[in-house]
């Protein structure tokens, strides 16, 4: 029995020992925690201490349990006190709840009334908002009405103030008027009509105020002032009422018309500050500069006034601006016609100044007037006073120019009496009066080509020069040439016609007349070619033979008088002399031709004709039926050899 007990005890001990040996104390946190707790009171490792360790542990456990129990007793006491307080509070809350239920029951009617009042207040606010929006859409505020109508002040010295706020309220007034039209389609027709009538009255009052303010600004218009854009807005609105717009611009045009004519008088008589520039009237002895300065000033003034006028009405529609500018520019510049017309008329019509009646000077003045009339007409109405005046001045300048040309022709060409026309010079050159006239015409053509004349105006000038100057000059040349022999007359007229044709070739017009002059030149050239050939043929004694060939005589040429072999025998020697010295045989008058090209043309075509005539004679002489014995001795040069010899002669 004891062995069994010992064996079981040993097994238990072995089990515990194996358990201790199997467990790794390094990985058991509880084990380490137990050792740390044990170290606080187990300080001596004696046998007595180890034997009393269990008792010590039990006492410490009992002590800790006793402390825990005491702590729970304090907690219980606190919880009992809390329970008592909560019970008291609960009773108090029950009493308050009972009171609230009583109050709620008593105030239920008041809450319902308050909710009704809140709903009524919300509805009232909505109606107030709608009423305010309606008033804003269909009525103007009193302070806004004061801005549009102006303050009720009878003092005329009080300035009328127009600013952006005024235009904003005026547009609002129009918007209300448009909104009121919608009411006419509803049941509120009376309200709509009243609103429309009120806004129409207010708009009329506002336009009246705006019109008075605009008139005041236009009377003293300053483009550099800060109110320019306000004036532009005002004019744009006033343009919607034609009567007010017309009165406004009429007032502006009246003021500017006085200013412009006053400035012109000052420019004519006083000049600029410190006499810079000098008065225009100081240059009245120079007709071209005088007329040019006056018309340039008028053009500059017109351009300045157009710029100001366009600046004022630039907010209007473009087509309206163009029409208005032309109409009121014509009105503004209307006052300029008297000083301009009086001075230019006096200058052109004056009989004291010979300089002003020179055709060249008058042509320059006439071109200036025509040029400025055209550019002024672009911005003015066709029936404006200034355009009408410029047309009259242009017509007067044209008449005086024609009269000056007629006087020049009568004086230079001796149209009053043919005996007054000088005889041609001995060298058959152009007379001095013809040279001066051509020089004057050349300067006129140069001015015409460099001026701004239209093709029709240039055509008109050329027709005038042809009818008034060139044709009488040609007639005078023919009268003067009639005192010369036939050949000299042709040379002289050819010189005259050729110079005139050279002059006319600088113009692109009067083609028919140029063709007629060229045809006359060709006739003179042909006549001189024939005369030159006749002279050479007479020298060679071949005239009779050539005439007989042309007349196609039925008899043999050798039997005709003047064609017999005895007369033809010296021809060979004379032909050689002619080919050696052609100038000694050709017409000596050709040296008087001014144009070298014409002289060379006459000689060249004369030689060609001589070659043709010699070929005809050579062929006739070598025909057996003409009865010439040994024709090679009479005309030894072959026609081709004759032509080659002529072609080798240097033309001078």
């Amino acid at each position: 029995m004891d062995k069994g007990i010992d064996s079981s005890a040993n097994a238990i001990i072995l089990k515990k020992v194996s358990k201790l040996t199997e467990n790794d104390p390094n990985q058991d946190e509880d084990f380490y925690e137990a050792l740390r707790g044990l170290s606080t009171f187990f300080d001596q490792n004696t046998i007595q201490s180890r034997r009393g360790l269990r008792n010590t542990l039990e006492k410490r456990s009992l002590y800790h349990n006793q402390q825990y129990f005491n702590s729970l007793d304090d907690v219980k006491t606190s919880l009992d006190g809390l329970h008592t307080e909560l019970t008291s509070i609960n009773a108090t809350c029950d009493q308050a709840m009972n009171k609230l239920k009583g109050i709620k029951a008593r105030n239920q009617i008041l809450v319902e009334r308050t909710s009704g009042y809140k709903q009524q207040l919300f509805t009232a606010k909505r109606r107030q908002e709608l009423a305010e929006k309606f008033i804003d859409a269909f009525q103007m505020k009193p302070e806004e009405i004061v801005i549009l109508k102006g303050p009720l002040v009878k003092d005329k010295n009080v300035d009328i103030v127009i600013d952006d706020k005024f235009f904003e309220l005026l547009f609002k007034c129009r918007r209300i008027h448009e909104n009121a039209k919608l009411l006419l389609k509803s049941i509120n027709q009376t309200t709509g009509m009243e609103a429309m009538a009120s806004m129409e009255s207010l708009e009329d009052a506002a336009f009246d105020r705006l019109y008075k303010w605009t008139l005041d600004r236009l009377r003293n218009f300053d483009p550099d002032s800060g109110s320019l854009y306000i004036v532009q807005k005002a004019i744009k609105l006033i343009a919607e009422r034609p009567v007010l717009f017309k009165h406004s611009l009429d007032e502006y045009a009246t003021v500017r018309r006085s200013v412009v004519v006053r400035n012109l008088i000052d420019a004519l008589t006083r000049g600029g500050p410190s006499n810079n520039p000098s008065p225009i009237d100081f240059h009245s002895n120079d007709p071209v500069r005088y007329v040019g300065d006056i018309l340039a000033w008028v053009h500059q003034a017109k351009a300045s006034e157009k710029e100001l006028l366009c600046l004022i009405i630039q907010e209007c529609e473009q087509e309206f601006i163009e029409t208005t500018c032309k109409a009121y520019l014509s009105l503004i510049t209307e006052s300029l016609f008297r000083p301009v017309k009086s001075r230019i008329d006096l200058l052109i019509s004056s009989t004291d100044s010979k300089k002003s009646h020179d055709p060249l000077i008058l042509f320059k003045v006439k071109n200036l007037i025509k040029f400025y009339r055209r550019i002024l007409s672009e911005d003015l109405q066709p029936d404006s006073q200034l355009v009408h005046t410029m047309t009259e001045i242009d017509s007067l300048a044209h008449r005086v120019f024609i009269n000056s040309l007629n006087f020049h022709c009568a004086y230079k060409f001796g149209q009053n009496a043919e005996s007054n026309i000088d005889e041609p010079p001995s060298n058959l050159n152009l007379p001095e009066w013809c040279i001066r006239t051509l020089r004057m015409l050349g300067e006129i053509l140069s001015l015409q080509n460099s001026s701004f004349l239209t093709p029709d105006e240039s055509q008109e000038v050329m027709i005038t020069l042809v009818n008034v100057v060139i044709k009488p000059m040609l007639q005078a040349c023919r009268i003067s040439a009639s005192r010369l022999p036939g050949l000299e007359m042709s040379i002289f007229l050819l010189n005259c016609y050729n110079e005139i044709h050279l002059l006319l070739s600088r113009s692109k017009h009067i083609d028919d007349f140029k063709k007629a002059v060229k045809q006359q030149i060709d006739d003179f050239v042909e006549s001189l070619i024939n005369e030159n050939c006749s002279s050479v043929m007479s020298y060679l004694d071949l005239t009779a033979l050539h005439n007989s060939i042309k007349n196609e005589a039925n008899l043999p040429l050798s039997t005709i008088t003047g064609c017999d072999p005895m007369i033809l025998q010296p021809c060979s020697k004379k032909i050689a002399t002619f080919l050696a010295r052609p100038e000694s045989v050709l017409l000596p008058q050709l040296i008087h031709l001014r144009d070298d090209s014409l002289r060379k043309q006459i000689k060249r075509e004369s030689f060609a004709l001589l070659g043709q005539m010699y070929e005809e004679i050579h062929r006739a002489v070598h025909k057996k039926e003409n009865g010439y014995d040994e024709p090679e001795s009479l005309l030894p040069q072959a026609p081709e050899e004759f032509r080659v010899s002529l072609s080798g002669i240097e033309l001078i």
Side-chain angles (χ1 to χ4, degrees):
M1 187 70 180
D2 292 334
K3 291 182 179 180
I5 295 171
D6 291 337
S7 60
S8 61
N10 290 332
I12 293 171
I13 292 171
L14 288 173
K15 187 177 181 180
K16 290 183 177 180
V17 171
S18 61
K19 183 178 180 181
L20 290 174
T21 56
E22 290 176 358
N23 290 336
D24 186 4
N26 294 326
Q27 297 180 355
D28 193 350
E29 292 292 333
D30 293 338
F31 177 76
Y32 279 104
E33 187 65 27
L35 289 179
R36 281 194 293 271
L38 182 63
S39 64
T40 59
F41 61 89
F42 188 76
D43 51 354
Q44 295 181 358
N45 188 12
T46 61
I47 188 168
Q48 291 82 4
S49 298
R50 289 194 297 272
R51 289 177 179 174
L53 181 59
R54 180 183 293 275
N55 189 28
T56 301
L57 292 174
E58 290 176 352
K59 287 180 179 182
R60 286 183 64 82
S61 176
L62 181 62
Y63 172 74
H64 287 303
N65 289 333
Q66 185 65 38
Q67 284 185 336
Y68 180 71
F69 178 78
N70 291 335
S71 298
L72 289 177
D73 187 56
D74 292 338
V75 172
K76 180 180 179 298
T77 303
S78 298
L79 289 175
D80 290 341
L82 180 60
H83 178 266
T84 303
E85 290 179 359
L86 290 175
T87 303
S88 176
I89 291 173
N90 185 43
T92 303
C93 288
D94 290 340
Q95 291 177 2
M97 183 61 68
N98 293 330
K99 289 182 180 181
L100 287 175
K101 288 180 179 180
I103 293 172
K104 182 178 181 181
R106 290 193 303 269
N107 293 337
Q108 183 66 33
I109 299 174
L110 181 60
V111 172
E112 294 176 356
R113 289 181 180 177
T114 303
S115 299
Y117 291 151
K118 287 183 179 179
Q119 184 64 33
Q120 292 177 6
L121 179 60
F122 177 76
T123 304
K125 287 183 178 179
R126 291 284 297 172
R127 290 178 177 177
Q128 183 180 2
E129 292 177 358
L130 292 174
E132 290 176 353
K133 291 182 178 180
F134 180 84
I135 291 173
D136 184 65
F138 296 100
Q139 289 185 7
M140 300 285 289
K141 297 178 182 178
E143 60 271 18
E144 295 175 343
I145 295 176
V146 170
I147 294 176
L148 288 178
K149 285 187 174 182
L152 298 176
V153 179
K154 296 183 179 180
D155 188 1
K156 296 182 179 179
N157 296 325
V158 176
D159 292 336
I160 301 176
V161 179
I162 300 294
D163 53 13
D164 290 331
K165 184 66 175 177
F166 177 87
F167 293 103
E168 180 182 346
L169 294 178
L170 183 57
F171 291 135
K172 180 181 178 181
C173 178
R174 291 186 168 185
R175 187 171 62 253
I176 291 174
H177 187 275
E178 293 298 321
N179 292 339
K181 293 180 180 180
L182 300 176
L183 296 178
L184 299 179
K185 300 178 182 179
S186 64
I187 60 175
N188 300 314
Q189 295 182 357
T190 303
T191 304
M193 294 181 65
E194 291 176 353
M196 290 177 64
S198 175
M199 292 303 105
E200 288 175 357
S201 175
L202 182 59
E203 185 176 353
D204 290 340
F207 262 92
D208 182 64
R209 186 173 183 228
L210 182 63
Y211 169 68
K212 293 178 181 178
W213 181 87
T214 304
L215 280 183
D216 181 67
R217 290 298 181 273
L218 291 180
R219 291 190 186 102
N220 306 281
F221 180 66
D222 183 8
D224 298 327
S225 65
S227 61
L228 174 60
Y229 79 101
I230 300 294
V231 175
Q232 293 171 344
K233 284 186 176 181
I235 290 294
K236 181 180 180 181
L237 284 174
I238 291 177
E240 299 174 3
R241 302 196 174 190
V243 175
L244 296 182
F245 181 77
K246 183 178 184 302
H247 289 333
S248 300
L249 289 190
D250 283 348
E251 184 69 20
Y252 171 79
T254 301
V255 173
R256 294 307 304 172
R257 181 169 53 187
S258 301
V259 172
V260 169
V261 72
R262 184 168 60 251
N263 291 340
L264 175 58
I265 298 300
D266 290 343
L268 289 170
T269 57
R270 297 182 181 180
S274 302
N275 203 33
N276 186 23
S278 59
I280 298 177
D281 284 345
F282 279 8
H283 307 291
S284 58
N285 59 338
D286 186 351
V288 178
R289 178 177 179 180
Y290 187 53
V291 173
D293 288 350
I294 293 176
L295 297 181
W297 192 98
V298 172
H299 173 60
Q300 181 61 39
K302 185 266 299 179
S304 300
E305 292 302 319
K306 179 182 179 181
E307 183 179 357
L308 287 177
L309 188 58
C310 291
L311 191 64
I312 292 174
I313 62 176
Q314 72 175 8
E315 294 295 329
C316 301
E317 296 181 0
Q318 188 62 34
E319 295 181 359
F320 183 76
I321 290 176
E322 295 178 359
T323 305
T324 304
C325 275
K326 283 194 173 184
Y328 284 95
L329 269 180
S330 301
L331 188 61
I332 292 172
T333 57
E334 185 180 43
S335 58
L336 299 177
F337 85 94
R338 293 185 185 278
V340 171
K341 187 175 188 300
S342 60
R343 280 168 169 77
I344 296 181
D345 280 358
L346 181 63
L347 176 72
I348 295 176
S349 304
S350 175
T351 58
D352 298 333
S353 177
K354 294 183 179 179
K355 187 176 182 180
S356 63
H357 282 78
D358 181 82
L360 186 60
I361 299 297
L362 285 172
F363 185 75
K364 293 179 180 179
V365 172
K366 175 177 175 294
N367 279 353
L368 278 174
I369 296 173
K370 191 177 292 293
F371 169 72
Y372 280 105
R373 185 195 70 174
R374 184 162 61 248
I375 62 175
L376 289 175
S377 301
E378 293 175 357
D379 295 323
L380 302 178
Q381 291 180 330
D383 58 345
S384 64
Q385 185 63 50
L386 185 59
V387 173
H388 180 67
T389 299
M390 293 298 297
T391 303
E392 289 183 345
I393 296 174
D394 184 26
S395 178
L396 176 63
H398 181 72
R399 291 197 304 273
V400 174
F401 173 65
I402 298 300
N403 292 337
S404 176
L405 290 177
N406 286 325
F407 175 78
H408 177 87
C409 294
Y411 178 74
K412 297 293 184 181
F413 306 157
Q415 289 183 348
N416 295 330
E418 294 185 2
S419 59
N420 295 333
I421 300 178
D422 298 333
E423 292 185 0
S426 58
N427 59 359
L428 303 181
N429 203 345
L430 276 69
E432 185 64 25
W433 51 265
C434 188
I435 294 175
R436 291 180 180 178
T437 302
L438 290 176
R439 187 180 299 120
M440 178 194 71
L441 292 178
E443 293 179 0
I444 290 177
L445 289 180
S446 298
L447 290 173
Q448 173 188 334
N449 295 332
S450 62
S451 63
F452 298 96
L453 296 178
T454 63
D456 292 340
E457 291 171 345
S458 298
Q459 176 81 6
E460 180 184 356
V461 170
M462 288 307 304
I463 292 175
T464 300
L465 293 178
V466 167
N467 293 330
V468 178
V469 180
I470 296 178
K471 287 183 178 180
M473 182 170 61
L474 290 175
Q475 178 64 23
C477 290
R478 286 192 290 268
I479 293 174
S480 179
S482 63
R483 303 172 185 177
L484 296 173
L487 186 59
E488 285 78 1
M489 179 176 66
S490 297
I491 297 289
F492 173 72
L493 289 178
L494 181 56
N495 284 331
C496 295
Y497 274 82
N498 187 60
E499 289 297 324
I500 292 173
H501 184 267
L502 291 176
L503 176 69
L504 295 178
S505 62
R506 295 163 55 183
S507 174
K508 299 178 182 179
H509 309 286
I510 57 171
D511 293 336
D512 293 339
F513 185 76
K514 286 191 289 187
K515 290 179 181 179
V517 174
K518 185 64 171 64
Q519 181 61 46
Q520 191 68 42
I521 292 174
D522 293 341
D523 292 342
F524 286 131
V525 169
E526 185 178 358
S527 174
L528 289 174
I529 291 172
N530 293 329
E531 288 288 340
N532 200 26
C533 289
S534 298
S535 175
V536 174
M537 295 297 287
S538 297
Y539 170 76
L540 299 177
D541 293 332
L542 296 177
T543 303
L545 181 57
H546 185 263
N547 291 337
S548 299
I549 294 172
K550 288 294 182 183
N551 294 331
E552 297 181 355
N554 295 325
L555 299 175
L557 292 178
S558 59
T559 60
I560 299 176
T561 304
C563 300
D564 54 283
M566 295 296 296
I567 296 177
L568 295 180
Q569 286 179 356
C571 287
S572 176
K573 186 176 181 180
K574 289 184 178 181
I575 290 174
T577 303
F578 166 68
L579 294 177
R581 297 179 59 193
E583 294 295 334
S584 61
V585 180
L586 296 178
L587 292 176
Q589 292 87 348
L590 293 178
I591 196 173
H592 296 306
L593 279 175
R594 285 171 55 89
D595 195 328
D596 292 339
S597 61
L598 283 179
R599 184 165 56 251
K600 291 179 180 180
Q601 177 187 354
I602 292 173
K603 291 181 179 180
R604 183 173 58 253
E605 295 185 9
S606 296
F607 289 162
L609 183 58
L610 283 173
Q612 180 181 351
M613 295 169 66
Y614 181 79
E615 182 179 3
E616 294 175 355
I617 294 173
H618 188 276
R619 188 186 307 114
V621 169
H622 281 70
K623 287 183 178 180
K624 294 182 179 181
E625 56 267 25
N626 286 325
Y628 290 104
D629 298 331
E630 300 181 357
E632 291 80 2
S633 61
L634 298 177
L635 298 175
Q637 292 88 353
E640 188 63 29
E641 181 183 353
F642 186 83
R643 285 197 183 93
V644 172
S645 300
L646 288 177
S647 62
I649 297 174
E650 183 179 356
L651 298 178
I652 301 176

